Amino acid sequence: MELNMSFSNDMDDEYEKLFRRLNPPRVVIDNESCKNATVIRVDSANKHGILLDVVQILTDLDLIITKAYISSDGGWFMDVFNVTDQDGNKITDEPILDYIQKVSNISQSLGPESCFTSSMGSVGFKPSVDHTVIELTGSDRPGLLSEVCAVLTHLKCNVVSAEVWTHNTRAAAVMQVTEEETGSAISDPERLAGIKELLRNVLSGSNRSRGANTVVSHEAIHTDRRLHQMMFAARDYERSGGDSVDGCLGEKQRPDVSVVNWYDKDYSVVTIRSKDRPKLLFDTVCTLTDMEYVVFHANIDAEGPEAYQEYYIRHVDGSPVKSDAERQRVIQCLEAAIERRVSEGLKLELCTTDRVGLLSDVTRIFRENSLTVTRAEVTTRGGKALNTFYVREASGCPVDAKTIDAIRQVIGQTILKVKGRPDDSKQASQESPTRFLFGGLFKSRSFVNFGLVRSYS
C-alpha cells in the first residue's frame, strides 16, 4: 500500500511539472492603458507561494505597487499590478522592463524548476562563497547592535552588509561578513563555532532574554524574507499589557486588521487598512504565506496615503479560519508584519569610505550618547559605506537635537546627515573642524575612548 501511494504521488508530481512546462509563465507589460502607472499582468500555472514570488520580484526592483488584482482559483494564477518607480512615474527603464518581460528571467522563480519549495525557502538564490551570513535573534536592549559589532570587529570580521529590525522587545539581524585579512567568506569550522558562541553570549546578556539564537551559514538568502521569518519564530507578535505604550512616544497607531469568514464560499476574508509605505504588500503576503495560508483572491489599493488590502484566504489544508483563537493570531501576526518595518526614531544617513570596524565605531558613539538603534540598513558599494540608522533615546523618547548636533560634530556634518529635520539644510552648511579629526580617525583602527561628554543641560 505504501509503495502504491508513493507511486501515485510521484505520478502527480511529474504531471504537475509537465503541466507547468507546457504552460510557462506569461508576463505582459502595458504602459498605455493606465494614465499614471505601468500595468504588469502575470499568468502562470498555480502553486502555493507564487503570489509571494511575484511580489518579491517587483519589490526587489524597487517598484511601488499602487493597485493589484489577484485571482488563483483552480490550476491557474492571474495577477494584475499597477506599478510606478520611487518617484511615482511609469516604468520606462529598458533594462527593468526587459528583465520583467523575459519569461526566462521570471520563470527562475515562477517556472517549473523554481527553488521555492517551502515556506522557509527563498527565491532564485544560490550558495555564496563571497561572504558568511550571520543571523541573530534575541531580546532587544539599548546598545545591543553596538555590542554585536564590537565582537565582530574584535574577531577580525568585516560587516559587508546588514539589516537590523526591532519590534515588541525583540531584535533580529541578518549580516554578511568576511574575513578581515582575505575579504572572503569565513571557512574554518572552529572559527565559525567560536563566532557563533560569542555572539550568542552577547544576545543572552539580557535578563529577559527569550530564545537568543545565532545561525552561521554560507547560503545566500532573501534578507527581508528571513527577517520576517526570524521575528515570527521569535513570536514578536505576542504583546504584554504595556506594549501599546512605548516610553515617551505614547500609544502607537496600529494597522486596522479584521478577519471574518465568508461561509457561502468557504473563505476567510482578511481586510487591512494602514498607512501606505514601500514594501507593505510584500510584508503582508510574506506573513500569510509563512503562516501557510493560500490567497485565492485579493484586491489592493494603495494610491492614497492609506492602503487598503483585501485577501480571500484558506489554510493549505483547504479550511478557512476555524476558531476565534486562530483569527486573533492571524490579526496579531499581520499587525506585527506591518509594524516591523515601520521606522521609529530619527533617520540618520552615513556615507564615508568603508573600513573594518567602522560600524562598531559608529554604533558605539550612538550607545555612549544614550541612543538606541531601532532599525538599520548597512551596505557597501565600491569601497563606500552607505548606512542608514533609525535612532531614539534609550528611554524611548525622541532624540534631543543637542545630542545629534554633538554627534555630527564628531562624525562630520557631511558624513552623517539627518533626514526629515526642518533645520537639516542649515546645519549641513555649518562644517565643524572636528570633522577633519574624525575623518582621519575613520581611516585608522585606533578609534578608542572617543566618547562624547554631554556637558550641556
Side-chain angles (χ1 to χ4, degrees):
M1 179 64 69
E2 292 180 359
L3 290 176
N4 290 338
M5 181 65 73
S6 176
F7 178 76
S8 176
N9 290 338
D10 290 343
M11 288 295 293
D12 289 342
D13 290 342
E14 291 303 316
Y15 176 79
E16 185 176 351
K17 290 179 181 179
L18 176 62
F19 177 76
R20 289 177 181 169
R21 287 192 176 95
L22 294 176
N23 298 275
R26 295 195 300 269
V27 180
V28 177
I29 299 176
D30 178 5
N31 255 330
E32 303 298 328
S33 61
C34 182
K35 181 180 179 180
N36 54 5
T38 298
V39 180
I40 299 175
R41 187 167 61 252
V42 181
D43 299 329
S44 172
N46 195 18
K47 64 171 182 174
H48 179 51
I50 191 171
L51 175 59
L52 177 58
D53 292 352
V54 177
V55 172
Q56 183 170 299
I57 290 170
L58 298 177
T59 302
D60 288 347
L61 290 170
D62 288 330
L63 303 183
I64 304 297
I65 300 172
T66 59
K67 279 182 176 290
Y69 307 93
I70 294 138
S71 180
S72 62
D73 262 347
W76 200 252
F77 170 85
M78 293 173 286
D79 256 11
V80 179
F81 297 94
N82 287 15
V83 302
T84 69
D85 62 17
Q86 294 288 322
D87 297 320
N89 302 316
K90 291 185 179 184
I91 312 303
T92 57
D93 191 318
E94 289 298 331
I96 293 179
L97 294 175
D98 289 344
Y99 178 83
I100 296 172
Q101 198 158 26
K102 286 180 181 176
V103 175
S104 58
N105 284 339
I106 297 295
S107 63
Q108 288 180 7
S109 293
L110 307 186
E113 302 304 326
S114 169
C115 67
F116 187 95
T117 56
S118 73
S119 63
M120 297 300 287
S122 59
V123 178
F125 286 91
K126 297 180 180 179
S128 172
V129 296
D130 298 327
H131 53 256
T132 299
V133 178
I134 299 178
E135 299 177 359
L136 308 169
T137 53
S139 293
D140 186 29
R141 67 176 187 274
L144 178 61
L145 179 59
S146 174
E147 294 175 34
V148 168
C149 294
V151 167
L152 291 173
T153 300
H154 176 73
L155 295 172
K156 299 186 182 302
C157 299
N158 186 36
V159 179
V160 178
S161 68
E163 187 148 354
V164 182
W165 289 1
T166 64
H167 177 249
N168 193 20
T169 75
R170 305 296 291 156
V174 174
M175 296 181 163
Q176 296 180 356
V177 303
T178 59
E179 290 278 19
E180 176 183 339
E181 294 183 359
T182 64
S184 58
I186 304 168
S187 56
D188 183 358
E190 291 186 6
R191 179 157 158 72
L192 289 172
I195 293 172
K196 182 177 179 179
E197 183 62 26
L198 284 174
L199 289 175
R200 184 175 177 83
N201 290 340
V202 171
L203 293 169
S204 302
S206 173
N207 291 330
R208 54 179 183 154
S209 177
R210 296 183 292 170
N213 191 35
T214 306
V215 176
V216 179
S217 72
H218 296 294
E219 294 184 1
I221 61 173
H222 190 274
T223 301
D224 289 5
R225 182 85 194 278
R226 280 299 296 143
L227 286 167
H228 274 301
Q229 292 169 342
M230 292 158 64
M231 288 295 237
F232 177 76
R235 306 174 75 89
D236 74 317
Y237 53 86
E238 294 181 343
R239 302 179 186 274
S240 60
D243 287 340
S244 61
V245 177
D246 195 3
C248 299
L249 295 180
E251 187 174 349
K252 299 177 183 177
Q253 183 178 0
R254 291 181 183 169
D256 181 7
V257 183
S258 66
V259 180
V260 297
N261 282 358
W262 185 12
Y263 292 102
D264 290 345
K265 299 294 184 180
D266 216 23
Y267 292 124
S268 291
V269 183
V270 178
T271 58
I272 305 172
R273 290 179 173 85
S274 66
K275 183 179 179 181
D276 188 33
R277 59 166 175 75
K279 300 187 179 182
L280 177 63
L281 180 59
F282 170 83
D283 295 338
T284 54
V285 171
C286 180
T287 298
L288 288 172
T289 303
D290 284 342
M291 293 182 72
E292 298 194 321
Y293 290 100
V294 179
V295 176
F296 287 86
H297 303 282
N299 179 34
I300 311 299
D301 187 347
E303 288 190 309
E306 182 181 77
Y308 175 81
Q309 303 179 62
E310 183 179 68
Y311 300 98
Y312 294 76
I313 65 170
R314 294 179 189 145
H315 196 266
V316 289
D317 64 8
S319 65
V321 172
K322 299 176 182 177
S323 65
D324 187 60
E326 183 183 356
R327 185 179 68 85
Q328 289 297 329
R329 187 168 184 263
V330 172
I331 291 173
Q332 290 176 345
C333 290
L334 287 172
E335 286 178 346
I338 294 170
E339 292 173 350
R340 286 170 195 146
R341 204 191 292 271
V342 174
S343 303
E344 299 172 359
L346 188 66
K347 181 179 181 181
L348 304 177
E349 290 185 353
L350 182 143
C351 179
T352 189
T353 302
D354 187 41
R355 65 166 178 80
V356 176
L358 172 64
L359 188 59
S360 175
D361 293 336
V362 173
T363 54
R364 179 172 55 79
I365 289 178
F366 291 161
R367 183 192 68 204
E368 290 171 349
N369 285 270
S370 300
L371 298 187
T372 184
V373 178
T374 61
R375 191 160 77 88
E377 298 173 8
V378 176
T379 57
T380 305
R381 297 174 188 168
K384 287 285 187 180
L386 306 170
N387 302 341
T388 300
F389 304 96
Y390 294 87
V391 300
R392 68 183 184 201
E393 293 279 359
S395 62
C397 297
V399 180
D400 189 303
K402 292 181 180 179
T403 303
I404 293 300
D405 290 342
I407 291 175
R408 292 187 71 204
Q409 285 182 14
V410 175
I411 295 180
Q413 305 282 5
T414 60
I415 293 176
L416 184 68
K417 295 185 177 181
V418 183
K419 295 297 179 179
R421 195 172 67 176
D423 60 349
D424 182 37
S425 59
K426 182 172 64 177
Q427 289 282 345
S429 63
Q430 300 174 354
E431 191 66 38
S432 167
T434 315
R435 176 241 177 184
F436 300 103
L437 172 63
F438 185 79
L441 289 171
F442 245 154
K443 298 176 183 178
S444 71
R445 291 293 307 277
S446 59
F447 205 128
V448 182
N449 295 327
F450 207 70
L452 298 175
V453 178
R454 305 178 68 182
S455 56
Y456 47 81
S457 58

